[in-house]
Amino acid sequence: MIQKKVLSSSDESSEDEHVEDLMDKQKLVQAKANKPTRTSVSAEVYGQFNKKGQFQAKKVNKSEDAVKRIKQRMSQAFMFSALDEHELAIVIDAMEEKKFKAGDFVIKQGDDGDVLYVVDQGQLDCFKVFKKGEPEKHLKVYQPGESFGELALLYNVPRAATIKAKTDAICFSLDRETFNHIVKDAAAKKREKYEEFLSKVELLKDMDPYERLQIADALKVQKFNQNDYIIRQGEQGNTFYFIQKGDCIATKTENGTEKEVYSYKVGDYFGELALIKHEPRAANIVAKSEVIVVYLDSDSFRRLIGPVDEILKRNMGRYEKYVKK
């Protein structure tokens, strides 16, 4: 069928699994509810920062090069995928550049934490002691574009693991206040907005609401102008799209002539054929007006679209007369 180039991003499924390695979130929340509030500086700050009326955006002076690098790394870190342009600007302003030598400890398990980090350069090892008295376990190596340290901010708990610079490294840090007021809020708003949209998509109407929420969390958004090519025939397919605004057409190029073969409106989807069949894109997708799409990368598609996989396969018949050799 039909599909486009997609922005690079960190592997969301591996990130989810890593967080699960660090701690069971539900158990963590339950434990937090069953014990007295911690009297650490971290806890006090957390309480103050959750008072919405007191929030003032932080601004840290930085070079144009640093701003450019932050933007690049944020585009790779899935945690920031829900932010709009205004929110991104606030977060970029608040970030600080931190340099570490090989062997430096960035965070230590059990310490209070009031910032998260996004890796810009170098590699960092993650270690965790799961039971007191046992040796620490090496969990992963953080690479540029990945983030860590958010659990202490999300749940107001000590650091869940130790992060140590494997090589000389540069990270960008984000304070608890900006994270809680901008990143967390944006994620919640994104979920609400896209869950409502997905509930109206015919393909997903019978999906469990929880399953739709998982898709909403993984969605990324992209805008196109009239006549822009969203997907080009012959490209490798690694993205699945839903149309949130506007209209598109599918075209086939044969013997040097491009011919319209299909049309799409709000709520329609495209891009699944190449993902299901593991083949190059079979057609072009062209924006016929200003278009906003939300999309899943190939890993998220395979992880989250399972409940409607058979429907997708059945609906592939709509393209058959256009994709035959």
Side-chain angles (χ1 to χ4, degrees):
M1 172 204 101
I2 25 214
Q3 300 153 19
K4 161 189 172 157
K5 299 174 283 190
V6 70
L7 301 174
S8 63
S9 63
S10 299
D11 183 341
E12 295 183 39
S13 59
S14 64
E15 281 295 307
D16 291 343
E17 290 164 2
H18 172 54
V19 169
E20 290 169 5
D21 282 342
L22 290 177
M23 58 177 59
D24 183 318
K25 290 186 180 180
Q26 291 189 350
K27 290 181 180 178
L28 177 62
V29 173
Q30 186 61 45
K32 180 181 170 186
N34 291 337
K35 71 176 182 180
T37 303
R38 299 174 64 231
T39 56
S40 65
V41 172
S42 176
E44 293 171 1
V45 171
Y46 180 83
Q48 294 171 4
F49 286 174
N50 272 310
K51 296 176 182 177
K52 298 291 185 183
Q54 296 183 3
F55 175 66
Q56 291 185 344
K58 176 181 178 180
K59 291 191 176 182
V60 178
N61 290 330
K62 55 182 69 72
S63 67
E64 290 184 8
D65 176 67
V67 170
K68 182 179 179 180
R69 285 155 46 213
I70 291 171
K71 288 181 178 178
Q72 178 186 0
R73 296 312 180 194
M74 288 177 67
S75 72
Q76 296 172 294
F78 75 91
M79 182 186 304
F80 304 106
S81 64
L83 302 182
D84 60 28
E85 291 183 5
H86 175 66
E87 292 161 339
L88 281 170
I90 293 175
V91 172
I92 290 169
D93 280 345
M95 282 189 160
E96 296 186 59
E97 183 176 289
K98 303 287 186 180
K99 296 183 178 180
F100 303 96
K101 295 291 186 182
D104 284 353
F105 286 92
V106 181
I107 62 178
K108 292 183 179 181
Q109 184 174 345
D111 285 354
D112 286 329
D114 59 1
V115 298
L116 66 83
Y117 295 92
V118 179
V119 183
D120 179 46
Q121 298 178 27
Q123 298 178 323
L124 302 100
D125 285 314
C126 176
F127 302 93
K128 180 174 177 64
V129 176
F130 285 91
K131 290 184 180 180
K132 188 175 181 179
E134 292 185 353
E136 63 184 8
K137 178 182 178 182
H138 183 266
L139 297 182
K140 68 168 290 178
V141 177
Y142 281 100
Q143 306 286 350
E146 295 186 287
S147 58
F148 60 87
E150 73 279 4
L151 292 176
L153 278 61
L154 281 167
Y155 300 105
N156 189 30
V157 294
R159 294 297 194 188
T162 294
I163 307 293
K164 185 178 181 180
K166 184 175 184 178
T167 66
D168 289 354
I170 298 177
C171 297
F172 295 113
S173 67
L174 181 66
D175 63 284
R176 180 195 297 273
E177 181 177 10
T178 305
F179 176 80
N180 281 332
H181 285 79
I182 303 298
V183 182
K184 280 178 63 177
D185 282 359
K189 290 175 183 176
K190 175 191 174 185
R191 169 178 280 196
E192 181 179 352
K193 174 182 178 180
Y194 290 121
E195 199 284 329
E196 181 180 359
F197 166 70
L198 293 174
S199 69
K200 298 175 182 177
V201 173
E202 181 70 18
L203 174 69
L204 308 178
K205 67 177 183 179
D206 294 325
M207 181 177 276
D208 182 274
Y210 175 72
E211 294 170 330
R212 280 202 304 267
L213 283 177
Q214 289 184 303
I215 295 175
D217 286 344
L219 287 175
K220 297 179 178 67
V221 63
Q222 194 165 3
K223 297 180 181 179
F224 295 91
N225 295 319
Q226 185 177 8
N227 297 324
D228 282 353
Y229 279 70
I230 302 173
I231 284 172
R232 287 190 180 272
Q233 184 177 338
E235 287 182 338
Q236 186 63 38
N238 57 6
T239 317
F240 176 63
Y241 297 90
F242 295 101
I243 299 178
Q244 186 180 2
K245 175 186 175 181
D247 300 288
C248 301
I249 60 170
T251 68
K252 285 278 289 184
T253 302
E254 295 178 344
N255 300 319
T257 302
E258 188 171 352
K259 178 182 178 182
E260 179 178 339
V261 296
Y262 209 85
S263 61
Y264 300 89
K265 62 184 185 303
V266 172
D268 285 341
Y269 61 89
F270 55 87
E272 79 286 2
L273 196 61
L275 294 174
I276 293 173
K277 300 182 72 173
H278 305 286
E279 295 177 349
R281 302 297 196 185
N284 307 296
I285 298 292
V286 185
K288 292 305 294 178
S289 62
E290 180 180 83
V291 169
I292 298 177
V293 296
V294 290
Y295 64 89
L296 295 172
D297 60 38
S298 57
D299 290 327
S300 298
F301 174 84
R302 293 186 175 91
R303 180 162 53 95
L304 300 173
I305 299 296
V308 294
D309 181 65
E310 289 304 315
I311 298 176
L312 286 173
K313 290 178 179 177
R314 289 200 302 269
N315 288 351
M316 281 168 54
R318 61 180 175 165
Y319 307 121
E320 286 181 356
K321 63 181 178 180
Y322 304 124
V323 299
K324 290 180 179 179
K325 303 298 182 183

